[in-house]
Amino acid sequence: MTTPAESTHIDSDQLTEIAIAYYQEGATQEEISKKFGMSRAKVGRLLRRARDEGVVEITVKYHPVFSEKLEQQLVERFGLKRALIALDQPDDESQRQQVASLISSYLSSILTDDMVVTVGQGRNIASIANHVGVVPHRKCRFVCGIGGTHRSGNAINADHICRQLAKKYDGISETLYAPAYVEDITVKEAFMKNGTVKETLDRARRADVALVGVGDMNENSHMVKLGWFTPQEIVEARIRKGVVGDIAGYDFFDSQGNKADTVMSDRVIGLSMEELRHIPTVVVTAAENSKALALLGALRSGIVDVLATSVSNALTILNLDQQMK
């Protein structure tokens, strides 16, 4: 039977008081129902409301051992050299920084003098260069694996990232003197034949390590904001061709990891999926939770040697892979 107190409106202060009693003070729903003069069923509804309205936020803190188990599962499932799994963070930028920290540590353990590292573009790759920490000096050459964009994308340009990495590791950087994007395939072919451009791309193709990001097919993606592709082209590629992502900003692929031919495929100057396949260690990173399906496609392509992402993405990738077999 509903009591008079139960029929009254519960304001945000009282909702907070109930949430504190249950989640912080350890009171049972029975104890709360007696204290506030309402049924246990209503207490349950109010606790759900507290979560829905953001009064209560529940975060699962994963133990490092859990991450290690996930890493091992990914290594075994996709034949990887390593999986670098960062604990979940409250926002994308924090997540990128956490993943970048793991990649920086990994690079410090594998880089040696005179190695060549080819570098992609994007916020995840830029986070590696911007990660603050002590790293060993390595006389490596950091080579752009893709051309450049205009000023609004400068901070995530491969050239800018290469320069930052070279400064960080006390190495040298090499610019790819070409735009990342052109509107006409004949212009792209002309750039690819240019001696300076060809020399840099040839060096990138012979790299020991590749650092590349994965993009998802989002009509609000950075590539759309830069004007490379229209939202409609992204939607059509996703719906008609089954495209789920791109690797290194160059080639597009479906959920099975197969390269997909789209109108976007002949517009980018940089390393292709097949060229990345011949590089001994390809490190692929994406921290954002929206990119799990794109990461699965990349993993299924067989190009990825080292995956770096979040716990949430790792769990989703493993679940999707099981469901989509």
Side-chain angles (χ1 to χ4, degrees):
M1 186 171 127
T2 303
T3 66
E6 187 171 350
S7 65
T8 60
H9 174 71
I10 302 295
D11 60 25
S12 58
D13 288 343
Q14 193 169 12
L15 188 64
T16 301
E17 191 177 353
I18 290 169
I20 289 172
Y22 185 74
Y23 288 105
Q24 288 191 353
E25 297 174 357
T28 65
Q29 292 189 23
E30 179 66 28
E31 290 169 340
I32 293 170
S33 70
K34 291 177 180 178
K35 178 179 178 180
F36 290 92
M38 60 182 67
S39 67
R40 286 184 60 184
K42 180 156 188 178
V43 171
R45 288 195 298 272
L46 290 172
L47 290 171
R48 286 194 295 273
R49 177 182 150 193
R51 293 196 298 272
D52 293 342
E53 294 182 4
V55 174
V56 173
E57 293 183 354
I58 298 175
T59 303
V60 177
K61 296 292 185 182
Y62 298 105
H63 191 277
V65 171
F66 180 77
S67 295
E68 289 173 13
K69 289 180 179 177
L70 277 179
E71 290 172 4
Q72 190 58 37
Q73 287 180 64
L74 288 163
V75 167
E76 292 173 358
R77 183 83 60 90
F78 299 103
L80 304 176
K81 291 181 180 179
R82 283 288 306 275
L84 308 172
I85 307 303
L87 298 182
D88 289 343
Q89 302 299 310
D91 56 78
D92 284 348
E93 183 55 36
S94 298
Q95 193 67 69
R96 281 190 287 268
Q97 291 174 13
Q98 192 76 8
V99 173
S101 173
L102 295 182
I103 298 173
S104 292
S105 296
Y106 176 72
L107 290 176
S108 296
S109 71
I110 67 163
L111 293 184
T112 59
D113 290 348
D114 301 322
M115 270 191 172
V116 175
V117 181
T118 185
V119 179
Q121 63 173 6
R123 288 173 292 185
N124 284 283
I125 304 301
S127 293
I128 303 168
N130 295 332
H131 174 67
V132 178
V134 178
V135 298
H137 286 183
R138 296 286 186 260
K139 301 294 182 181
C140 296
R141 180 186 291 267
F142 296 91
V143 182
C144 295
I146 190 170
T149 60
H150 52 65
R151 288 190 179 277
S152 65
N154 185 56
I156 62 170
N157 263 333
D159 181 53
H160 180 78
I161 297 169
C162 277
R163 292 174 188 272
Q164 292 292 101
L165 285 169
K167 182 178 179 181
K168 181 175 179 176
Y169 287 93
D170 196 28
I172 58 175
S173 65
E174 183 172 343
T175 301
L176 177 59
Y177 288 103
Y181 161 84
V182 291
E183 295 182 355
D184 191 327
I185 189 172
T186 58
V187 176
K188 173 183 173 176
E189 289 172 346
F191 269 109
M192 297 293 271
K193 291 176 183 176
N194 176 271
T196 302
V197 172
K198 187 176 182 302
E199 183 179 343
T200 298
L201 282 176
D202 282 344
R203 201 172 344 264
R205 292 180 185 110
R206 296 192 300 269
D208 302 287
V209 179
L211 296 177
V212 293
V214 164
D216 57 353
M217 297 306 290
N218 188 325
E219 51 268 41
N220 296 314
S221 72
H222 198 72
M223 289 190 292
V224 172
K225 291 176 183 177
L226 287 174
W228 292 18
F229 312 119
T230 66
Q232 186 61 31
E233 286 171 335
I234 294 287
V235 171
E236 286 180 2
R238 192 171 64 217
I239 295 173
R240 295 185 182 179
K241 301 285 187 176
V243 178
V244 298
D246 71 87
I247 192 162
Y250 188 97
D251 275 331
F252 296 82
F253 52 82
D254 62 22
S255 62
Q256 297 302 317
N258 301 313
K259 180 181 173 182
D261 290 322
T262 71
V263 294
M264 303 175 287
S265 299
D266 295 319
R267 301 191 195 178
V268 181
I269 298 174
L271 296 186
S272 67
M273 286 175 68
E274 284 310 306
E275 289 168 331
L276 286 170
R277 195 182 299 278
H278 297 291
I279 294 173
T281 301
V282 177
V283 181
V284 171
T285 177
E288 301 85 355
N289 288 342
S290 61
K291 294 184 177 180
L293 182 58
L295 285 170
L296 175 60
L299 287 165
R300 286 176 166 178
S301 74
I303 290 171
V304 183
D305 297 298
V306 177
L307 171 69
T309 191
S310 66
V311 164
S312 290
N313 274 343
L315 287 168
T316 303
I317 289 165
L318 290 167
N319 288 333
L320 285 173
D321 183 56
Q322 191 65 37
Q323 294 168 16
M324 297 169 63
K325 284 187 175 179

